[in-house]
Amino acid sequence: MKINFQKNFNQENALLLIPCLDQGQNIPEFLKQWVSERVKSQQFSYEVGEHVSIFSSDEDKPAHSIVWSFGKAKEVTNTKIRSTLAKAIKHLRHHPVSEISIMLNADFLKYAQEIGEALALSNYNPAIYKTGKDREEAQTKIIQKINIIAKDISRVQKYDLEEGLKIGLAVNQVRDLVNGPHNLVNVKTMTDKAKEIAAKNKYGLKILDKKQLEKLQMGALLGVNQGSHEEAKLIVLEYLPLGKRQEPTAIVGKGVVFDSGGVNIKPTQGLSEMHMDMAGGAAVLGVFSLLKELEIKQNVIGLIPLTDNSVDATSLKPSDIVTSYSGKTIEIGNTDAEGRLILCDAISYAIRTYQPSQVIDIATLTGACMVALGDQLAGMFGNNKRMKERMLSAAHETNEEIWEMPIHESHRKAMKGKFADLNNISDTGLGGACTAAAFLEEFVEKTDWIHLDIAGPAM
Ligand code: BES
Ligand code: ZN
Ligand code: ZN
């Protein structure tokens, strides 16, 4: 997608979107009278999302202008700008054009980053595996070029808009990975992507293979992998712009490239969606595709344990006992609770190797979290109040819905093993999102930590 900045519109801007607010802000002179007549005759009332089309054959005017209300100026927030603009763009995608123009004054340019994000996010093409006519049809719905018409845009606002666009495009790449089925997005695809990102940005990269994982004795990750044809890997990405001056933040993403459930096989319903069980890992790749580009001044380590969870004669069996990298032993109560097994080894490895100041893990960990919160909210667990507050405020700013969840003494107790130190499930099955978090907590030692269960939002 190409962005072009213009001071004024001209006739070549054939399809022009004009966002406006309830006092007519941003409506150009030539349309003011026309719009106010529509307001008087109650054909337009500045409700969020309301829009009117104006056609013109004048030489100096766009052939088709769409005035789109963003509602009351007093109620505008960055989140509202992002979502309202995204809806408008999705509407414009139904027009048979590959180029659109958007007029923006100071009221909107305050939100330049959110505008850039909305432009990229709303222009996502999910039909990348179609061919022929269907592919063409999907392609015509993609906007290839956007002209930003803004008289008084500052250098900072231009930069912010382009930054928002980069963020949105990175999210779209994550969507492609999460949407891709297992035969097209697997351990190799994920490690290839990590190599590409590391080479482009000159990051440190280790990809630990099965032999190295065996040497390190990562029995939990290897246990999940033992019924697979594709060998497990652990991706470790290093972005250390501050060198030794700062302990890094470690971000660990669940990378189960297909979760069949293993011997505790999942029912048919929902099974075909389980190629998305690497969404946490894909999100970590998304973060790393941006760190350098956005010049983030923080040391960050990204870890992605990768494997599928398959059924085979060699698969892990319920009641098996594995020894994790930390040395703690784990009884396998259910082979479908595999995410916590691959995460616990990656978390321990991050802490022992890098002594991070904080660890964030992000995982499509439990269906129970979706039962508790629905499919729009991520569950947040953690052991540090300040860190959780910062996460919540970051989520608020970026329109991510996150809800804090508890780890109670009863959840910890429920995860004690009968024969080993821990069990990977609780007997009762109650509070499944909380007991999963209690299991992970066993591996974070004293490090500040947040666990995000993103099963719902990832779906
Ligand atoms: N990958 C699933 C969780 C999941 C479910 C993600 C639905 C997205 C949508 C996870 O590995 C799993 O199977 N969890 C089990 C745990 C149970 C066996 C304790 C679950 O949630 O049912
Ligand atoms: Zn599972
Ligand atoms: Zn899973």
Side-chain angles (χ1 to χ4, degrees):
M1 190 177 21
K2 256 186 76 178
I3 294 283
N4 167 49
F5 291 97
Q6 258 173 256
K7 289 244 173 266
N8 286 302
F9 61 80
N10 55 49
Q11 212 194 10
E12 265 157 41
N13 304 123
L15 181 56
L16 175 65
L17 176 70
I18 305 167
C20 72
L21 297 167
D22 62 333
Q23 302 298 313
Q25 296 94 325
N26 198 38
I27 295 178
E29 229 25 78
F30 82 96
L31 285 178
K32 279 206 166 118
Q33 173 79 15
W34 190 91
V35 174
S36 71
E37 275 164 24
R38 296 292 161 304
V39 173
K40 256 187 233 143
S41 62
Q42 299 185 332
Q43 291 172 51
F44 186 64
S45 73
Y46 290 116
E47 274 293 310
V48 185
E50 244 195 285
H51 51 278
V52 273
S53 271
I54 308 102
F55 297 90
S56 168
S57 52
D58 289 1
E59 257 176 32
D60 57 342
K61 305 217 170 71
H64 183 182
S65 305
I66 301 180
V67 176
W68 198 287
S69 179
F70 280 55
K72 295 198 177 84
K74 272 196 299 205
E75 290 171 8
V76 160
T77 60
N78 55 354
T79 293
K80 229 181 191 168
I81 292 275
R82 191 194 290 105
S83 61
T84 309
L85 181 59
K87 277 189 194 127
I89 299 289
K90 283 182 188 165
H91 176 90
L92 294 191
R93 282 177 62 174
H94 294 293
H95 289 74
V97 292
S98 62
E99 175 177 339
I100 63 161
S101 306
I102 305 175
M103 189 156 191
L104 297 170
N105 76 349
D107 293 303
F108 289 93
L109 288 169
K110 274 192 275 191
Y111 302 102
Q113 183 182 324
E114 286 78 5
I115 288 170
E117 288 171 15
L119 294 181
L121 291 171
S122 58
N123 211 13
Y124 177 63
N125 178 12
I128 57 175
Y129 301 117
K130 300 247 186 202
T131 66
K133 243 181 138 182
D134 288 349
R135 186 185 185 85
E136 265 167 44
E137 200 182 304
Q139 205 61 42
T140 57
K141 291 208 178 108
I142 301 299
I143 294 162
Q144 308 290 352
K145 187 177 170 200
I146 298 179
N147 304 303
I148 302 293
I149 301 171
K151 248 196 208 83
D152 309 310
I153 189 165
S154 70
R155 278 228 326 250
V156 173
Q157 287 165 338
K158 261 190 198 172
Y159 178 88
D160 286 351
L161 196 148
E162 277 165 350
E163 185 169 294
L165 200 71
K166 285 177 194 165
I167 294 171
L169 292 173
V171 173
N172 286 349
Q173 285 195 27
V174 174
R175 287 169 164 173
D176 280 344
L177 289 173
V178 178
N179 288 339
H182 172 251
N183 69 329
L184 302 177
V185 178
N186 40 51
V187 172
K188 182 170 186 314
T189 327
M190 294 290 280
T191 52
D192 284 350
K193 192 86 198 155
K195 284 180 199 165
E196 181 193 314
I197 291 169
K200 183 173 168 211
N201 297 288
K202 303 201 168 67
Y203 296 145
L205 172 68
K206 288 189 282 193
I207 298 178
L208 304 181
D209 62 16
K210 190 172 172 186
K211 264 208 186 107
Q212 289 164 299
L213 299 174
E214 278 167 354
K215 205 161 161 210
L216 290 165
Q217 297 182 303
M218 291 205 186
L221 169 57
L222 288 166
V224 176
N225 184 245
Q226 75 191 36
S228 305
H229 283 291
E230 195 175 26
E231 293 187 350
K233 295 263 158 69
L234 176 62
I235 295 175
V236 187
L237 282 153
E238 298 172 348
Y239 174 68
L240 302 166
L242 301 185
K244 293 210 156 42
R245 275 172 291 148
Q246 189 201 46
E247 291 166 332
T249 295
I251 317 182
V252 186
K254 172 175 172 181
V256 173
V257 289
F258 191 85
D259 181 11
S260 74
V263 170
N264 292 104
I265 197 163
K266 284 183 183 294
T268 298
Q269 200 199 8
L271 185 56
S272 66
E273 311 252 36
M274 281 303 127
H275 60 78
M276 54 68 80
D277 211 17
M278 33 54 81
V284 172
L285 290 178
V287 168
F288 272 78
S289 70
L290 288 170
L291 286 170
K292 176 85 176 293
E293 203 154 4
L294 303 187
E295 297 169 50
I296 303 297
K297 290 178 186 62
Q298 299 285 333
N299 284 344
V300 189
I301 305 293
L303 298 103
I304 310 170
L306 288 164
T307 178
D308 56 57
N309 183 25
S310 287
V311 199
D312 187 88
T314 60
S315 291
L316 214 50
K317 311 289 188 298
S319 81
D320 280 358
I321 292 174
V322 297
T323 304
S324 66
Y325 175 67
S326 73
K328 287 187 182 171
T329 52
I330 306 164
E331 207 172 312
I332 308 300
N334 189 316
T335 61
D336 197 12
E338 84 298 336
R340 60 200 78 181
L341 297 171
I342 74 168
L343 286 171
C344 73
D345 277 355
I347 290 171
S348 301
Y349 181 81
I351 291 173
R352 289 199 186 166
T353 314
Y354 295 98
Q355 293 83 45
S357 60
Q358 50 181 1
V359 173
I360 300 166
D361 79 74
I362 174 161
T364 48
L365 205 64
T366 66
C369 199
M370 292 174 76
V371 173
L373 299 177
D375 63 3
Q376 298 295 305
L377 283 79
M380 175 183 74
F381 302 82
N383 60 5
N384 180 298
K385 194 163 169 265
R386 270 271 305 141
M387 189 182 176
K388 285 191 278 192
E389 280 166 3
R390 278 162 55 214
M391 180 63 79
L392 284 175
S393 94
H396 182 71
E397 244 179 73
T398 52
N399 196 22
E400 299 286 347
E401 304 283 355
I402 292 183
W403 201 260
E404 184 175 356
M405 303 269 283
I407 303 177
H408 186 256
E409 214 32 59
S410 60
H411 302 133
R412 297 187 183 103
K413 233 171 113 188
M415 300 310 283
K416 295 267 171 263
K418 193 164 172 202
F419 303 107
D421 298 331
L422 292 165
N423 197 308
N424 77 332
I425 57 157
S426 86
D427 273 349
T428 63
L430 299 173
C434 304
T435 51
F439 179 92
L440 292 177
E441 188 192 43
E442 290 285 334
F443 298 87
V444 296
E445 299 167 24
K446 289 198 166 64
T447 312
D448 292 347
W449 158 74
I450 278 179
H451 157 57
L452 295 174
D453 192 329
I454 59 160
M459 291 286 271

